Amino acid sequence: MHDYQAPSGLLNQRTILVTGASDGIGRAAAISYAQLGANVILLGRHQDKLISVYDYIEKKGYPKPAILPLDLAHTTAEQLDQLAQRLLDEFGSLHGLLHNAAVLGEITPLEQYEYGTWDLVMATNLRSVFLLTQSLLPVLRQAAAASVILTSSSVGRQGRPYWGAYAVSKAGIESLNQIWSQELKDTSAIRFNCINPGATRTSMRQYAYPAENPETLRRPEEILNLYHFLMGDASIGITGQSFDAQPNN
Ligand code: NAP
């Protein structure tokens, strides 16, 4: 599946919501889903950055996307329920959901970790993934076989000193993936899987490793095979798994 080559039109007539679609891996994934035929809903904090992704997709002639400016760190369950109703009214069903948005927080010992940063990281990276999934379940259930992809990290598989709330939030993501998939596998056609992107040339990576030469890393556009495989019908029947987008890195 790492060398999976998506056929053109793989995601025709699909509606797919991507969080953190304004930058980095989420931006690249959203554009590639649109290229494969999907109507993409671009969710992110900054409207101006979302508009630039929108313009890019429109200029390429891919299906018209939608923009959803939302700060996931400060969104309530009620706001997300209203969002779900809007999606139901406008699109009828949601075929795919890529939970990608995250923040790094601080790289510092737990002993010195700021309480406020802890809350912000956990709210953005973990709580919002739980709440958004919960709110969107009725819309995901309307699709014949919806795919939900969560985004983990190697520090979510094995804790690493100084990675604090980020590592804990990503361990929580691995757990959420297992629980959602097991709870829903017998009562729905929704599949849940988790991707660890691996070291990728983005601003988050640069912030975490300021001394690293970004040229040594793959660009987001180069790691997307697994994102296509898990979003398309080839992965129907696979649920509750956690994959590496760059297994040899
Ligand atoms: P990035 O370039 O920093 O992009 C993060 C995206 O999340 C941006 O679109 C950002 O929006 C959005 N976001 C952050 N906080 C948000 C909030 N409160 N509400 C809505 N959107 C928010 O990061 P990336 O490197 O592409 O990372 C993407 C995912 O891969 C993350 O889950 C990350 O943990 C994971 N990951 C990355 C690597 C890597 O090497 N890059 C490795 C392992 C895992 P703004 O544009 O408004 O900031």
Side-chain angles (χ1 to χ4, degrees), residues 20 22 25 45-46 49 71-72 100 102 152 166 170 200 202:
S22 57
I25 297 166
R45 276 183 296 195
H46 296 107
K49 289 176 79 174
D71 181 350
L72 289 170
N100 162 84
S152 181
Y166 180 84
K170 294 299 187 181
T200 310
T202 67

Side-chain angles (χ1 to χ4, degrees), residues 3-169:
D3 43 22
Y4 175 75
Q5 292 301 314
S8 74
L10 174 79
L11 302 174
N12 278 352
Q13 314 296 331
R14 309 281 166 102
T15 303
I16 296 173
L17 192 158
V18 177
T19 74
S22 57
D23 215 336
I25 297 166
R27 180 183 192 280
I31 290 171
S32 77
Y33 288 156
Q35 184 176 13
L36 291 168
N39 291 101
V40 184
I41 303 168
L42 308 165
L43 188 156
R45 276 183 296 195
H46 296 107
Q47 183 153 338
D48 51 338
K49 289 176 79 174
L50 293 174
I51 288 172
S52 102
V53 184
Y54 178 101
D55 288 345
Y56 181 89
I57 291 174
E58 205 180 36
K59 212 171 274 174
K60 285 283 184 185
Y62 305 152
K64 201 175 164 67
I67 285 185
L68 191 51
L70 200 65
D71 181 350
L72 289 170
H74 300 102
T75 319
T76 63
E78 291 70 31
Q79 286 170 313
L80 293 176
D81 285 346
Q82 286 165 13
L83 165 66
Q85 190 57 51
R86 260 178 56 204
L87 295 187
L88 207 50
D89 295 343
E90 261 176 62
F91 299 98
S93 61
L94 188 63
H95 303 88
L97 170 58
L98 171 58
H99 289 293
N100 162 84
V103 288
L104 187 65
E106 303 171 65
I107 304 285
T108 198
L110 282 179
E111 202 169 349
Q112 272 101 50
Y113 208 95
E114 289 272 342
Y115 173 84
T117 308
W118 181 277
D119 274 355
L120 181 78
V121 172
M122 296 303 281
T124 310
N125 298 7
L126 185 58
R127 189 188 62 179
S128 79
V129 176
F130 156 63
L131 286 179
L132 186 59
T133 308
Q134 192 184 52
S135 294
L136 293 182
L137 277 185
V139 207
L140 290 161
R141 282 187 201 275
Q142 297 303 314
S147 174
V148 179
I149 302 174
L150 295 82
T151 307
S152 181
S153 164
S154 45
V155 298
R157 306 251 181 82
Q158 174 64 52
R160 192 179 300 163
Y162 316 127
W163 282 70
Y166 180 84
V168 174
S169 71

Side-chain angles (χ1 to χ4, degrees), residues 211-224:
E212 184 177 64
N213 176 4
E215 299 291 322
T216 60
L217 303 175
R218 289 209 179 127
R219 292 179 297 115
E221 294 76 11
E222 296 173 301
I223 66 154
L224 296 177

